[in-house]
Amino acid sequence: MADPPAGGPEPPPTNTQETQASFSVEDFQPRVSIDAGQIIGKRTRNGEAYTPAEGTGRITTREVWKLIDNLKDIIHRQTTLIESTKADLEEVKHDQNVLREQNDRLHEEVRALRAQIETSPQPNPPRTWAAIAASGTSDPQPSLQRPEKDRNCVRISTQRLSVDPRDNESREGNSFGRYLSTDSANPYIRSALLSAPPTQDAQVAGIGTTKTGYLVRFKDPGSAEAARNNTEWLNELGKNTKLVKPRFGVVVHRTPTENFDLENANSQAIQTIMEENDLAEQGFQIEELAWLKRKDKVLGKFASLGIWFDSAEGAEYILNNGLLVGQRYIGSVERREIKKKRCFRCQRFGHLAWSYKETPRCGHCAGQHERERCPPGVRARVPNTIDLQPYQMLEKYLRILQLNMMKSGPRMEALINDPQSRELDVLLIQEPSITTYRTHINHSAWHLSRPTTQTDAVRFRSLLYVNRRISTSSHRQLPYDHPDVAAVKIWTADSQRW
């Protein structure tokens, strides 16, 4: 074990004892560094250069005022910036309010348009060629709107004074009636319009005659509307003169006749039909009912019923919804139309064949001969080319119809059996149907051409029909190694078609 050091222990240091590091009062004073460049320009009151004494650490009043001025400038700039920011915020808020109002108006317009679209009747979807082929007709529906020229016209009917119009010239008296000349009827109609207060301002442009009365043409639609809505002037004319309103008729086929007695109770039959079909609730009115038959023909158990409405909407409603008769639904309804007279001797309109004594014209090829004397193999005439020679049309025109049957057998049969389709030359069929015996539909009026490829495919996707009216020496099938392609070459004696 080591021995302890010699000598006694050292005494602990006290505050009165001196150490190696000593401090003075100046060491505890704050030190402020003064830049010599800041006091170069300063002078005393006597004009002498200011010589700073030893730093005392105090801030002068001038420096305080300088700091205050700087703070004022900063506060002024901040205040200006805040005011401009407030103005910008107000403008932004105003723009937001304007946009919000515009957005609300747009929402209201969208809701109104959506309500109109939902309440408006849905338009008929466009018909495809396959649907047209299945229905067998492609004629557009006639327009039910009033023609522009008839809006200023008013038709009136009156009783006739005599059977023969020529007797009116020798009759005594000078009263209004049917079969008067326009010069004689003009003063009666004008004076009647002037005598009625609602039609005093009506301006008449001219007057024409009809089979049952007269046609009054006004200068503006307002005058014509006033004459239609106020019938006081018709009472001034007398002779049971009444306004002729346009009527819109429909024909209902296979209507049971046991439910109606139109000869003795026509008004009761009208009321019955309106109640069973809720026509009064729809705002429609039936003007007349009649059986469409000859006078000398006996009325059978079923017959075609003609119904005339006072508005086009009523006729359209029955066309779209059918007719209910004694809880029996009848859907065979078509529009009542007056067909134009056509002469089947010259194929023109306006007269009948019994009154035509000129040279006949064939309805098939437009040649100068009867239809039964038309030579075989001649092409059918092209519309609007009635003056062309038949053999020239064979060289200039080739009518083709291309349809996608969508594998529908009824559509294919409707197309190939339609008499109107036989006026065509070539039928290009896509997606044809097949029969129960896995064959394609054939017809005696058409020559069928299938794809020539050697394949085990059960169904071909294309067929080609050539009208048998065209001679077999004028067309020939071309081989093509594809199951979906059928090709035929057609030519004439002078020029090659395909």
Side-chain angles (χ1 to χ4, degrees):
M1 172 180 284
D3 295 333
E10 295 181 358
T14 60
N15 293 334
T16 59
Q17 293 180 350
E18 294 182 357
T19 59
Q20 295 180 357
S22 60
F23 300 93
S24 62
V25 178
E26 289 79 5
D27 294 334
F28 294 97
Q29 295 294 332
R31 293 181 175 85
V32 179
S33 60
I34 300 175
D35 190 2
Q38 297 179 357
I39 59 176
I40 291 176
K42 295 183 179 181
R43 296 181 178 274
T44 60
R45 294 181 179 180
N46 298 330
E48 298 178 355
Y50 174 76
T51 303
E54 295 180 357
T56 59
R58 299 178 62 185
I59 300 175
T60 62
T61 306
R62 187 182 300 275
E63 294 177 354
V64 172
W65 282 108
K66 185 176 181 180
L67 291 175
I68 292 173
D69 293 338
N70 292 336
L71 290 175
K72 286 182 178 180
D73 293 340
I74 294 173
I75 292 172
H76 178 70
R77 288 195 298 270
Q78 295 293 336
T79 304
T80 305
L81 182 61
I82 291 172
E83 294 296 333
S84 62
T85 305
K86 286 183 178 180
D88 295 339
L89 290 176
E90 292 294 334
E91 185 177 357
V92 170
K93 288 182 179 179
H94 177 70
D95 294 341
Q96 288 180 351
N97 294 332
V98 172
L99 291 176
R100 189 179 293 108
E101 293 176 358
Q102 293 179 355
N103 192 17
D104 294 340
R105 288 197 297 268
L106 288 176
H107 278 292
E108 293 178 359
E109 293 179 0
V110 169
R111 285 193 293 268
L113 291 175
R114 186 174 298 171
Q116 292 180 2
I117 293 174
E118 292 177 355
T119 56
S120 62
Q122 296 294 333
N124 295 328
R127 302 177 64 190
T128 61
W129 280 108
I132 294 174
S135 61
T137 178
S138 60
D139 296 335
Q141 294 294 337
S143 177
L144 298 177
Q145 296 182 355
R146 182 190 296 270
E148 188 70 24
K149 64 179 182 179
D150 291 345
R151 295 182 180 179
N152 297 348
C153 298
V154 174
R155 293 177 180 268
I156 59 175
S157 63
T158 183
Q159 293 180 353
R160 57 182 179 179
L161 299 176
S162 58
V163 177
D164 192 351
R166 292 174 296 181
D167 296 340
N168 292 332
E169 300 176 359
S170 60
R171 63 184 173 83
E172 297 180 358
N174 191 15
S175 60
F176 180 76
R178 195 186 301 181
Y179 300 137
L180 291 178
S181 62
T182 55
D183 296 336
S184 302
N186 198 348
Y188 287 104
I189 296 176
R190 290 180 182 271
S191 61
L193 290 171
L194 292 175
S195 61
T199 57
Q200 287 181 353
D201 298 332
Q203 299 180 359
V204 179
I207 297 174
T209 58
T210 61
K211 291 183 178 180
T212 60
Y214 302 92
L215 177 64
V216 184
R217 173 69 181 272
F218 293 89
K219 292 184 178 181
D220 55 276
S223 300
E225 193 67 23
R228 292 191 193 99
N229 298 333
N230 303 278
T231 58
E232 297 179 8
W233 64 283
L234 298 177
N235 299 330
E236 297 291 335
L237 293 174
K239 298 296 181 180
N240 196 18
T241 304
K242 58 183 179 180
L243 192 67
V244 178
K245 297 181 180 180
R247 301 189 307 174
F248 305 89
V250 296
V251 180
V252 184
H253 298 288
R254 295 192 59 80
T255 305
T257 59
E258 57 185 7
N259 297 334
F260 305 109
D261 185 8
L262 301 185
E263 295 182 359
N264 302 322
N266 196 302
S267 59
Q268 184 178 358
I270 292 176
Q271 187 66 23
T272 302
I273 292 178
M274 291 191 63
E275 291 178 357
E276 291 181 353
N277 295 270
D278 298 332
L279 298 179
E281 298 179 359
Q282 303 291 336
F284 306 140
Q285 178 63 38
I286 297 178
E287 295 289 338
E288 185 181 354
L289 293 177
W291 297 113
L292 303 182
K293 69 177 188 66
R294 295 181 180 178
K295 295 182 179 180
D296 56 348
K297 188 177 180 180
V298 180
L299 188 64
K301 187 176 181 180
F302 296 93
S304 297
L305 178 64
I307 305 177
W308 285 268
F309 291 86
D310 61 345
S311 62
E313 291 77 9
E316 195 69 24
Y317 178 81
I318 295 297
L319 288 172
N320 297 332
N321 299 278
L323 185 69
L324 292 176
V325 177
Q327 297 183 355
R328 178 198 295 266
Y329 173 74
I330 303 175
S332 180
V333 184
E334 64 179 2
R335 201 181 307 277
R336 171 67 174 172
E337 297 178 353
I338 300 177
K339 297 182 179 180
K340 294 183 179 180
K341 294 181 180 180
R342 182 176 182 180
C343 175
F344 291 97
R345 183 176 175 84
C346 67
Q347 312 304 323
R348 290 187 175 90
F349 294 92
H351 60 276
L352 299 178
W354 63 269
S355 62
Y356 186 75
K357 306 300 181 183
E358 302 297 332
T359 305
R361 187 183 295 272
C362 178
H364 177 71
C365 66
Q368 302 294 332
H369 54 263
E370 298 287 348
R371 175 65 179 88
E372 56 270 12
R373 297 183 180 180
C374 185
V378 179
R379 291 169 52 93
R381 65 180 178 88
V382 180
N384 300 328
T385 58
I386 196 170
D387 296 331
L388 296 178
Q389 297 296 329
Y391 297 103
Q392 292 178 352
M393 290 190 293
L394 180 62
E395 298 177 358
K396 292 185 178 180
Y397 297 95
L398 184 66
R399 293 191 288 185
I400 302 174
L401 177 63
Q402 179 181 1
L403 289 177
N404 190 325
M405 289 301 172
M406 296 184 290
K407 305 177 183 179
S408 175
R411 292 174 182 171
M412 187 65 198
E413 293 178 357
L415 173 64
I416 205 167
N417 291 303
D418 189 1
Q420 296 181 358
S421 65
R422 298 180 188 177
E423 297 182 0
L424 302 173
D425 299 323
V426 181
L427 298 179
L428 305 180
I429 305 301
Q430 298 174 343
E431 300 293 342
S433 62
I434 57 175
T435 62
T436 308
Y437 300 100
R438 318 301 294 179
T439 59
H440 297 95
I441 297 176
N442 211 333
H443 196 272
S444 59
W446 298 93
H447 181 78
L448 175 60
S449 297
R450 302 181 181 87
T452 58
T453 181
Q454 300 295 331
T455 179
D456 296 334
V458 179
R459 182 190 296 271
F460 294 112
R461 300 184 63 185
S462 64
L463 295 178
L464 200 148
Y465 290 85
V466 180
N467 200 317
R468 290 188 181 273
R469 183 181 63 252
I470 301 176
S471 176
T472 54
S473 61
S474 300
H475 65 88
R476 182 183 63 188
Q477 185 173 5
L478 299 178
Y480 196 87
D481 190 14
H482 197 282
D484 298 336
V485 177
V488 171
K489 181 178 181 180
I490 300 178
W491 66 91
T492 61
D494 298 332
S495 61
Q496 181 175 329
R497 288 286 183 183
W498 294 348

